[in-house]
Amino acid sequence: MALATDTAEARGTQRRLVEEIRRLREEKNAVILAHNYQIGPIQDLADFVGDSLGLAQAASRTDAPVIVMCGVYFMAETAKILNPHRTVLIPDSKAGCSLADSITGEQLRAWKAEHPGAVVVSYVNTTAEVKAETDICVTSGNAEAVIRSIPPDKEILFCPDMFLGAHLERVTGRKMHVWMGECHVHAGIRPGQIDEQREKFPGAELLIHPECGCSTRYVWGQSVGAMRADGTHVLSTEGMLRRARQSDRNTFLIATETGLLHRLRKEMPEKRFEPADEGAVCRYMKMITLPNLRDCLRDMTPDVDVPPDILERARRSVERMLSIKP
Ligand code: 13P
Ligand code: SF4
């Protein structure tokens, strides 16, 4: 449950929780990593805030014995895959992902059997079992560079996000076999809402996450250059931050989960950021709260475990992902 912050009492409770979390983090020698979609107070106290690629990179760099992942389960699994000998905690182990749930290890094995010799490219939003069946993982931050690195004569199986798959086919010109999965939050961003916001904020840049169905409607068939001229960009969450810093425009419509607005507004208070659709809220990301983060650090549970045989195979595909720079 989100913490009410609109009364003096609630603000006092929040302040005490934050102090307790900071104290426990020091006592346990833990590092707190938070995704860009986390609630503001968690982003504000985290040691690192970033997109899926940034979180995996931070997890691979840390030497802290305890990693707390404020994000969803596949992100905590990825941190564990990269740090098998460290303790990885997640404040709520039921924080799942509708996209990761759209393909199982068994389904991927059956798909591979239909295409022997194909290179399997999986989005990082997948279970450890799917990563173990994968040749190379990608995030929205480096997917294009990964696809371009695969020899042209190779067949590619891309899973599980169909909109990211379609976007990659368009920008790289590469034909792939694409799994028909989707994220319920991004697929649910309503084009009608975006049209209304564009009318309300004429001249605003529209920044779209490639998991959105609307990325197809707004930019399908346009070249990357034309997208720029139109003020529409398809970007990972970290890419949106970079674009907003570089752009000379002052207003931006953000087509992704609304948690990113906190960081955008905090880092660029002189610019205006509005949601393309304010209903784009991931209930899984919002399952991480200050009280369960405090409990998790205090009790050192729930911790994330990945069976050793799966972990070893999954690590190869995640390490390949980290070796290719966007
Ligand atoms: P990025 O953080 O990689 O942009 O992905 C967004 C997302 O939906 C993560 O679950
Ligand atoms: Fe998964 Fe979508 Fe939530 Fe990201 S926003 S964690 S892809 S359900």
Side-chain angles (χ1 to χ4, degrees):
M1 198 175 62
L3 204 68
T5 52
D6 49 354
T7 64
E9 194 191 336
R11 281 195 296 276
T13 307
Q14 177 167 318
R15 210 173 32 248
R16 280 189 294 280
L17 274 166
V18 169
E19 278 163 16
E20 222 180 325
I21 291 165
R22 289 188 200 280
R23 184 181 55 73
L24 285 164
R25 165 172 56 189
E26 216 172 298
E27 189 183 306
K28 310 282 177 162
N29 204 357
V31 66
I32 299 177
L33 309 182
H35 189 265
N36 287 326
Y37 299 160
Q38 289 294 293
I39 57 167
I42 289 185
Q43 292 194 28
D44 293 345
L45 65 74
D47 296 291
F48 176 85
V49 184
D51 67 354
S52 310
L53 181 61
L55 292 175
Q57 287 166 335
S60 73
R61 277 194 309 263
T62 188
D63 51 12
V66 179
I67 299 170
V68 186
M69 182 59 74
C70 294
V72 293
Y73 199 79
F74 77 80
M75 294 175 176
E77 271 187 339
T78 306
K80 184 68 182 180
I81 288 164
L82 291 164
N83 294 280
H85 306 300
R86 299 183 206 274
T87 301
V88 176
L89 305 171
I90 180 163
D92 189 334
S93 58
K94 292 187 294 307
C97 168
S98 60
L99 181 54
D101 284 346
S102 60
I103 187 165
T104 63
E106 199 180 328
Q107 285 172 316
L108 180 51
R109 281 189 288 277
W111 202 29
K112 281 167 70 173
E114 289 167 21
H115 300 274
V119 177
V120 178
V121 180
S122 297
Y123 196 27
V124 74
N125 298 41
T126 42
T127 62
E129 195 190 348
V130 166
K131 288 186 176 75
E133 295 292 337
T134 293
D135 294 302
I136 180 158
C137 284
V138 297
T139 71
S140 50
N142 73 351
E144 196 181 321
V146 169
I147 299 300
R148 289 189 196 281
S149 76
I150 298 171
D153 58 317
K154 284 279 180 194
E155 230 184 333
I156 300 176
L157 301 184
F158 182 85
C159 74
D161 191 84
M162 62 173 151
F163 296 116
L164 176 60
H167 171 70
L168 291 170
E169 286 190 318
R170 186 168 47 77
V171 292
T172 64
R174 188 74 184 260
K175 254 333 268 159
M176 307 188 292
H177 300 281
V178 178
W179 191 260
M180 288 288 130
E182 63 175 28
C183 152
H184 73 292
V185 179
H186 288 88
I189 290 183
R190 297 158 289 178
Q193 287 294 113
I194 299 186
D195 290 343
E196 273 179 32
Q197 290 290 73
R198 286 191 122 183
E199 264 176 47
K200 211 160 136 194
F201 300 100
E205 268 190 17
L206 174 61
L207 308 185
I208 305 179
H209 196 278
E211 286 174 26
C212 294
C214 60
S215 65
T216 305
R217 171 179 160 159
Y218 279 99
V219 295
W220 188 259
Q222 291 183 24
S223 70
V224 178
M227 280 154 57
R228 291 206 179 106
D230 180 40
T232 301
H233 301 260
V234 178
L235 297 160
S236 70
T237 53
E238 209 57 38
M240 291 182 185
L241 278 135
R242 267 196 306 275
R243 173 67 207 161
R245 277 184 214 116
Q246 286 160 2
S247 171
D248 52 14
R249 297 209 198 174
N250 280 319
T251 309
F252 301 84
L253 297 177
I254 305 299
T256 191
E257 213 272 354
T258 56
L260 183 66
L261 292 166
H262 176 79
R263 205 174 143 205
L264 287 162
R265 288 170 178 158
K266 186 173 159 184
E267 290 187 15
M268 285 161 272
E270 71 290 0
K271 298 197 175 193
R272 180 166 191 166
F273 299 96
E274 295 294 331
D277 181 346
E278 63 187 4
V281 178
C282 175
R283 67 175 182 277
Y284 301 115
M285 283 282 179
K286 269 44 182 190
M287 286 165 80
I288 311 302
T289 62
L290 288 173
N292 64 23
L293 172 55
R294 184 268 320 270
D295 295 352
C296 156
L297 267 168
R298 184 192 58 206
D299 306 335
M300 297 292 280
T301 186
D303 71 332
V304 176
D305 199 22
V306 179
D309 56 321
I310 291 183
L311 189 145
E312 269 318 306
R313 287 187 294 134
R315 193 160 56 178
R316 286 199 292 268
S317 59
V318 174
E319 279 177 348
R320 279 190 202 118
M321 168 184 95
L322 292 176
S323 72
I324 298 186
K325 302 286 169 261

